[in-house]
Amino acid sequence: MPVLVYIDHDNQNLNVANLSTITAASMIGEVHAVVVGYDCSDVAKNLAETQNIEKVLIVDSEAYTNPIAENISAVLVSISEGYSHILAPATTVGKNIMPRLSALLDVQQISEIVDVIDSDTFDRPIYAGNAIATVKSNDSIKVITVRTTAFEPACKGSSSVDIIEIEPPDISNHLSEFVGSELTKLDRPELTSARVIISGGRGMQNGENFKLLEQVAELLGAAVGASRAAVDSGFVSNDYQVGQTGKIVAPELYIAVGISGAIQHLAGMKDSKVIVAINKDEDAPIFQVADYGLVADLFEAIPELENELRT
Amino acid sequence: MKVLIAIKRVIDYNVKIRVKSDHTGVETNNVKMSMNPFDEIAVEEGIQMLESGAASEVVAVSMGPDQCQETIRTALAMGCDRGIHVSTDINLEPLAVAKLLASIVAKENPKLVILGKQAIDDDSNQTGQMLSAILGWSQGTFASNISIEKDNAKVTREIDGGLETLNIKLPSVITTDLRLNTPRYASLPNIMKAKKKPIDTLTPEELKIDVTNRLSTIKVVDPPTREAGVKVETVQELVDKLKNEVKII
């Protein structure tokens, strides 16, 4: 039986997290992707040209302009028959919708898989990634979210597959309505897809000082992140948060500045290829995972780093 | 409006967990246990609704072994009115918890159920969404602000790119994110008072819910470890390594 991937998108662009989810799905079986949205044919066309996709389904209706969980989960139930697995990236959209789908199908979801052992068995992190559990599902259909940093993104394919339009089911239940959104304006790459990330912690002392990191980020083409301590202290908003309860990232280079390295933070970044830590406390646990550690006052080191990068 | 709060007893977030040597799970004997941090936020939100007059009664529910009663007492000491303990030694999965909660909702008729978005032990992030689906209610997950109106709630949600606001119909299930509030500490007089507040005990059998696990755990292992690297002395040395050794910048 084929495997269905629910695509997280904004009606125009594919979130890169989907491409990793497609890779995970292709380790299980033949992959179909479903795009639910409004005026979202560009997303479907893009997918149809992606490696490992055999078929693209599109459900296009004004009712699905925003991914309201109550509506999307009902659509997914209506097309779930004939699929052995339904996967989505573990983005906030996937995390919101998939457990609802799972309960409607009366199955126990498997959250944030990091490896596919066989079609029933998966590895997933527990306790903020301080242990890895191998779990086997006995359910007839598996509902899964994917820790996208654990899988390589699928590439663009050489040909294009069929896009099949599906009549939107009548499920307008009006339980929730979209009021508005405030999206953080980003001049730089998004955290989960950035090649380089520079993050600040409590050591930054205030939100104003994050400008120091932004200047370095500018030079490196990097995204700016933060620890939970920095978010809790009100330095930056929650969408900067890297960690167990924030975003999980695995960039080529992660620079932790003024971050002590609580296990909850390490859970969000320890799969980065190269980790740099800058902290004035030489005993900070962050140094135990850092490839390069610099014991220094960040208020001296960061301007110096900026100068070095400019030259 | 009656509000139900679901709370989970988990290994305290400050504890460095240890994987059991037989790889069947994580060591929980002689380990400090606490209320899941996101559930503390849920309790705080319920109490604030009680204080503002938006809620008339706040009931705390927990499920698991007898020690869960301690966790319920913590919620009562913070200000919840009474507790319900679903007693079981089975390690409940989110779907089973959601079904048990749905049957308690049928008995208690709350207009709102608040849960933490995720428990810090299994990191599932499922129970609230599942409960909402079983009840056929609206859901407001990852909430950073809740304002209760007559028949709706305006919920601001933490999403990947920033914030989103939904208008959700009551009754509803809401799950909490970090910035919703700062949970209070229970005062000593309130801890004493909490000892007199009632806790009802139920079992999955009494609620007629099949809680058989759907997943089996094959093994639990330590994650691959990362070796500490080298210390550099200066910023110049750091930039040199990044440019010439790993060639990343």
Side-chain angles (χ1 to χ4, degrees):
Chain A
M1 268 198 277
V3 175
L4 186 65
V5 173
Y6 169 76
I7 300 298
D8 179 3
H9 62 91
D10 62 1
N11 294 317
Q12 283 149 18
N13 302 300
L14 265 181
N15 185 332
V16 67
N18 295 298
L19 301 176
S20 307
T21 307
I22 290 164
T23 302
S26 70
M27 294 164 75
I28 304 169
E30 176 188 320
V31 183
H32 297 182
V34 62
V35 180
V36 188
Y38 179 48
D39 213 357
C40 52
S41 55
D42 283 354
V43 178
K45 275 184 211 136
N46 195 337
L47 273 171
E49 293 166 5
T50 302
Q51 226 175 32
N52 289 329
I53 295 272
E54 305 287 334
K55 193 197 270 186
V56 177
L57 312 177
I58 179 167
V59 187
D60 198 321
S61 160
E62 198 175 349
Y64 309 129
T65 309
N66 296 293
I68 303 282
E70 293 88 323
N71 302 342
I72 306 283
S73 56
V75 172
L76 292 177
V77 169
S78 76
I79 56 174
S80 62
E81 213 180 301
Y83 290 104
S84 60
H85 298 67
I86 306 179
L87 292 84
T91 55
T92 48
V93 170
K95 288 174 181 174
N96 190 32
I97 294 170
M98 297 307 267
R100 192 169 180 106
L101 168 68
S102 181
L104 293 174
L105 297 172
D106 191 27
V107 301
Q108 174 55 54
Q109 176 179 308
I110 307 148
S111 292
E112 305 223 15
I113 63 163
V114 293
D115 203 1
V116 175
I117 308 299
D118 61 42
S119 62
D120 302 327
T121 315
F122 308 91
D123 280 354
R124 61 176 303 266
I126 54 174
Y127 291 93
N130 286 296
I132 305 291
T134 305
V135 295
K136 184 174 167 39
S137 168
N138 304 314
D139 282 319
S140 54
I141 174 165
K142 278 88 179 159
V143 175
I144 294 169
T145 61
V146 176
R147 171 75 59 96
T148 54
T149 52
F151 299 90
E152 289 295 323
C155 304
K156 209 171 158 60
S158 47
S159 58
S160 185
V161 299
D162 290 341
I163 298 175
I164 295 156
E165 271 189 58
I166 296 200
E167 193 61 32
D170 180 23
I171 46 100
S172 43
N173 53 36
H174 305 296
L175 284 172
S176 295
E177 82 189 15
F178 178 80
V179 178
S181 59
E182 279 172 58
L183 301 181
T184 307
K185 285 209 177 62
L186 289 176
D187 310 327
R188 286 183 297 277
E190 209 261 325
L191 265 177
T192 48
S193 56
R195 202 181 73 89
V196 179
I197 294 174
I198 180 162
S199 281
R202 205 195 301 274
M204 297 304 296
Q205 294 178 3
N206 58 47
E208 188 65 18
N209 288 335
F210 266 75
K211 288 212 177 103
L212 295 170
L213 302 187
E214 281 166 21
Q215 284 154 3
V216 175
E218 193 77 21
L219 295 168
L220 289 171
V224 176
S227 68
R228 174 174 166 174
V231 172
D232 272 352
S233 307
F235 300 170
V236 288
S237 61
N238 192 63
D239 49 307
Y240 281 69
Q241 194 200 150
V242 172
Q244 180 185 17
T245 60
K247 295 193 170 104
I248 310 289
V249 300
E252 299 275 313
L253 173 62
Y254 189 92
I255 308 175
V257 182
I259 291 177
S260 63
I263 51 173
Q264 290 84 358
H265 186 74
L266 300 184
M269 45 65 80
K270 68 183 159 88
D271 293 329
S272 306
K273 293 237 164 59
V274 173
I275 297 174
V276 169
I278 301 175
N279 201 304
K280 65 180 175 191
D281 173 11
E282 63 177 316
D283 297 322
I286 189 79
F287 287 122
Q288 290 164 18
V289 300
D291 299 283
Y292 301 110
L294 176 64
V295 180
D297 182 345
L298 72 94
F299 295 104
E300 286 164 20
I302 297 300
E304 209 181 314
L305 176 62
E306 189 190 333
N307 275 333
E308 280 293 317
L309 293 172
R310 276 190 202 282
T311 54
Chain B
M1 174 174 85
K2 189 193 277 189
V3 178
L4 206 68
I5 315 280
I7 56 179
K8 186 175 186 183
R9 183 172 179 269
V10 297
I11 294 182
D12 187 87
Y13 77 101
N14 277 317
V15 171
K16 176 104 181 73
I17 60 116
R18 272 189 310 117
V19 171
K20 285 184 187 168
S21 53
D22 64 359
H23 299 299
T24 56
V26 164
E27 191 57 70
T28 53
N29 282 336
N30 300 317
V31 171
K32 186 183 176 203
M33 307 290 282
S34 305
M35 192 190 303
N36 178 44
F38 286 101
D39 302 347
E40 286 185 327
I41 297 173
V43 170
E44 175 64 33
E45 195 65 16
I47 298 165
Q48 287 184 14
M49 286 179 185
L50 207 53
E51 288 166 345
S52 73
S56 52
E57 187 184 26
V58 177
V59 182
V61 185
S62 191
M63 303 181 180
D66 289 346
Q67 295 90 325
C68 286
Q69 297 220 358
E70 292 164 21
T71 314
I72 296 175
R73 288 282 168 214
T74 306
L76 299 180
M78 286 171 75
C80 291
D81 295 301
R82 59 188 172 88
I84 297 173
H85 173 216
V86 179
S87 172
T88 174
D89 288 326
I90 292 177
N91 194 5
L92 297 170
E93 289 173 348
L95 183 64
V97 173
K99 288 179 176 179
L100 291 165
L101 283 172
S103 71
I104 291 172
V105 165
K107 290 162 84 92
E108 293 279 338
N109 283 313
K111 211 168 166 185
L112 181 63
V113 184
I114 314 178
L115 309 86
K117 75 164 179 181
Q118 164 176 351
I120 60 163
D121 51 2
D122 64 12
D123 285 329
S124 285
N125 191 337
Q126 298 174 3
T127 308
Q129 296 90 313
M130 288 179 157
L131 173 63
S132 177
I134 293 167
L135 295 169
W137 288 6
S138 64
Q139 71 184 47
T141 54
F142 326 146
S144 65
N145 192 60
I146 304 170
S147 84
I148 302 287
E149 291 158 11
K150 199 168 165 288
D151 297 311
N152 324 319
K154 274 225 170 67
V155 177
T156 304
R157 310 178 52 236
E158 305 273 13
I159 58 169
D160 284 336
L163 296 172
E164 173 187 88
T165 303
L166 297 179
N167 193 2
I168 61 178
K169 207 183 266 182
L170 295 176
S172 185
V173 176
I174 294 179
T175 73
T176 62
D177 215 318
L178 276 182
R179 291 194 298 171
L180 183 60
N181 60 48
T182 307
R184 69 192 65 191
Y185 290 101
S187 66
L188 191 59
N190 285 341
I191 292 172
M192 301 310 288
K193 255 198 276 180
K195 291 188 175 161
K196 298 206 184 84
K197 291 183 180 175
I199 299 179
D200 287 336
T201 302
L202 296 163
T203 62
E205 295 72 38
E206 282 166 356
L207 293 166
K208 299 192 175 60
I209 300 294
D210 176 9
V211 295
T212 312
N213 280 349
R214 306 292 189 86
L215 304 181
S216 39
T217 300
I218 310 288
K219 65 177 194 295
V220 174
V221 298
D222 286 308
T225 51
R226 206 179 164 110
E227 298 292 314
V230 296
K231 288 262 168 63
V232 292
E233 294 303 319
T234 63
V235 171
Q236 286 93 330
E237 193 187 341
L238 174 64
V239 172
D240 176 65
K241 298 264 190 203
L242 293 177
K243 275 189 175 152
N244 302 317
E245 198 169 276
V246 288
K247 300 185 173 68
I248 278 182
I249 61 171

